[in-house]
PDB file of all heavy atoms in Angstrom:
ATOM      1  N   LEU A  47       2.408 -13.044 -27.190  1.00  0.00           N
ATOM      2  CA  LEU A  47       3.317 -12.005 -27.620  1.00  0.00           C
ATOM      3  C   LEU A  47       3.708 -12.308 -29.010  1.00  0.00           C
ATOM      4  O   LEU A  47       3.746 -13.506 -29.378  1.00  0.00           O
ATOM      5  CB  LEU A  47       4.637 -11.994 -26.631  1.00  0.00           C
ATOM      6  CG  LEU A  47       4.457 -11.460 -25.288  1.00  0.00           C
ATOM      7  CD1 LEU A  47       5.557 -11.787 -24.453  1.00  0.00           C
ATOM      8  CD2 LEU A  47       4.027 -10.044 -25.338  1.00  0.00           C
ATOM      9  N   PRO A  48       4.088 -11.271 -29.835  1.00  0.00           N
ATOM     10  CA  PRO A  48       4.441 -11.479 -31.220  1.00  0.00           C
ATOM     11  C   PRO A  48       5.776 -12.195 -31.334  1.00  0.00           C
ATOM     12  O   PRO A  48       6.570 -12.203 -30.404  1.00  0.00           O
ATOM     13  CB  PRO A  48       4.549 -10.067 -31.819  1.00  0.00           C
ATOM     14  CG  PRO A  48       4.753  -9.184 -30.608  1.00  0.00           C
ATOM     15  CD  PRO A  48       4.073  -9.766 -29.463  1.00  0.00           C
ATOM     16  N   VAL A  49       5.947 -12.775 -32.558  1.00  0.00           N
ATOM     17  CA  VAL A  49       7.281 -13.545 -32.776  1.00  0.00           C
ATOM     18  C   VAL A  49       8.531 -12.597 -32.599  1.00  0.00           C
ATOM     19  O   VAL A  49       9.628 -13.120 -32.232  1.00  0.00           O
ATOM     20  CB  VAL A  49       7.185 -14.185 -34.152  1.00  0.00           C
ATOM     21  CG1 VAL A  49       8.520 -14.752 -34.499  1.00  0.00           C
ATOM     22  CG2 VAL A  49       6.135 -15.268 -34.189  1.00  0.00           C
ATOM     23  N   SER A  50       8.450 -11.368 -32.921  1.00  0.00           N
ATOM     24  CA  SER A  50       9.566 -10.480 -32.810  1.00  0.00           C
ATOM     25  C   SER A  50      10.138 -10.516 -31.383  1.00  0.00           C
ATOM     26  O   SER A  50      11.297 -10.138 -31.184  1.00  0.00           O
ATOM     27  CB  SER A  50       9.100  -9.023 -33.181  1.00  0.00           C
ATOM     28  OG  SER A  50       7.995  -8.578 -32.357  1.00  0.00           O
ATOM     29  N   THR A  51       9.336 -10.926 -30.454  1.00  0.00           N
ATOM     30  CA  THR A  51       9.818 -10.987 -29.067  1.00  0.00           C
ATOM     31  C   THR A  51      11.013 -11.948 -29.030  1.00  0.00           C
ATOM     32  O   THR A  51      11.823 -11.900 -28.083  1.00  0.00           O
ATOM     33  CB  THR A  51       8.691 -11.375 -28.132  1.00  0.00           C
ATOM     34  OG1 THR A  51       7.509 -10.584 -28.324  1.00  0.00           O
ATOM     35  CG2 THR A  51       9.048 -11.320 -26.626  1.00  0.00           C
ATOM     36  N   LEU A  52      11.107 -12.953 -29.826  1.00  0.00           N
ATOM     37  CA  LEU A  52      12.116 -13.886 -29.690  1.00  0.00           C
ATOM     38  C   LEU A  52      13.579 -13.249 -29.919  1.00  0.00           C
ATOM     39  O   LEU A  52      14.587 -13.828 -29.591  1.00  0.00           O
ATOM     40  CB  LEU A  52      12.003 -14.989 -30.847  1.00  0.00           C
ATOM     41  CG  LEU A  52      10.800 -16.023 -30.666  1.00  0.00           C
ATOM     42  CD1 LEU A  52      10.721 -16.845 -31.815  1.00  0.00           C
ATOM     43  CD2 LEU A  52      10.903 -16.766 -29.388  1.00  0.00           C
ATOM     44  N   ALA A  53      13.573 -12.068 -30.433  1.00  0.00           N
ATOM     45  CA  ALA A  53      14.861 -11.346 -30.600  1.00  0.00           C
ATOM     46  C   ALA A  53      15.628 -11.168 -29.308  1.00  0.00           C
ATOM     47  O   ALA A  53      16.774 -10.970 -29.219  1.00  0.00           O
ATOM     48  CB  ALA A  53      14.647 -10.074 -31.387  1.00  0.00           C
ATOM     49  N   ARG A  54      14.856 -11.133 -28.217  1.00  0.00           N
ATOM     50  CA  ARG A  54      15.515 -11.011 -26.905  1.00  0.00           C
ATOM     51  C   ARG A  54      16.205 -12.190 -26.410  1.00  0.00           C
ATOM     52  O   ARG A  54      16.953 -12.169 -25.451  1.00  0.00           O
ATOM     53  CB  ARG A  54      14.485 -10.536 -25.788  1.00  0.00           C
ATOM     54  CG  ARG A  54      13.890  -9.168 -25.959  1.00  0.00           C
ATOM     55  CD  ARG A  54      13.016  -8.796 -24.866  1.00  0.00           C
ATOM     56  NE  ARG A  54      12.803  -7.320 -24.811  1.00  0.00           N
ATOM     57  CZ  ARG A  54      13.435  -6.500 -23.978  1.00  0.00           C
ATOM     58  NH1 ARG A  54      14.423  -6.962 -23.279  1.00  0.00           N
ATOM     59  NH2 ARG A  54      13.120  -5.131 -24.066  1.00  0.00           N
ATOM     60  N   GLY A  55      15.969 -13.332 -27.093  1.00  0.00           N
ATOM     61  CA  GLY A  55      16.784 -14.510 -26.752  1.00  0.00           C
ATOM     62  C   GLY A  55      16.581 -15.043 -25.398  1.00  0.00           C
ATOM     63  O   GLY A  55      15.596 -15.084 -24.817  1.00  0.00           O
ATOM     64  N   ASN A  56      17.774 -15.467 -24.781  1.00  0.00           N
ATOM     65  CA  ASN A  56      17.773 -16.088 -23.447  1.00  0.00           C
ATOM     66  C   ASN A  56      17.226 -15.182 -22.315  1.00  0.00           C
ATOM     67  O   ASN A  56      16.800 -15.704 -21.321  1.00  0.00           O
ATOM     68  CB  ASN A  56      19.242 -16.561 -23.034  1.00  0.00           C
ATOM     69  CG  ASN A  56      19.597 -17.709 -24.006  1.00  0.00           C
ATOM     70  OD1 ASN A  56      18.800 -18.531 -24.409  1.00  0.00           O
ATOM     71  ND2 ASN A  56      20.881 -17.727 -24.251  1.00  0.00           N
TER      72      ASN A  56
END
Side-chain angles (χ1 to χ4, degrees):
L47 290 169
V49 172
S50 59
T51 309
L52 293 173
R54 286 184 167 266
N56 293 328

